[in-house]
Amino acid sequence: MSADEKAKAKGEQVKGTVKKEAGRAVGNESKTAEGRAEKSKGDLRAAKEKAKDAFKD
């Protein structure tokens, strides 16, 4: 996994988790959903990079 893509994936995962928890804390369902979506996007980016690495070898 390239370092740049790995950092983007991790950043999206962390940012999504923070938004989700902040939305939960204040009862804002749209922020919670937005955080879940962003975390999922980061998870997918990480999975894509792992798959690319697996096929390189």
Side-chain angles (χ1 to χ4, degrees), residues 13-27:
Q13 290 169 336
V14 169
K15 203 161 101 175
T17 300
V18 169
K19 274 187 187 178
K20 182 179 84 170
E21 294 304 320
R24 272 182 157 173
V26 296

Side-chain angles (χ1 to χ4, degrees), residues 1-13 38-53:
M1 186 183 304
S2 75
D4 185 44
E5 291 296 315
K6 185 176 181 181
K8 282 182 185 178
K10 195 60 163 171
E12 286 175 343
Q13 290 169 336
E38 194 160 346
K39 183 174 182 324
S40 294
K41 184 178 171 186
D43 291 343
L44 288 173
R45 184 186 301 268
K48 178 188 82 169
E49 290 301 314
K50 286 181 183 177
K52 281 176 27 180
D53 285 347

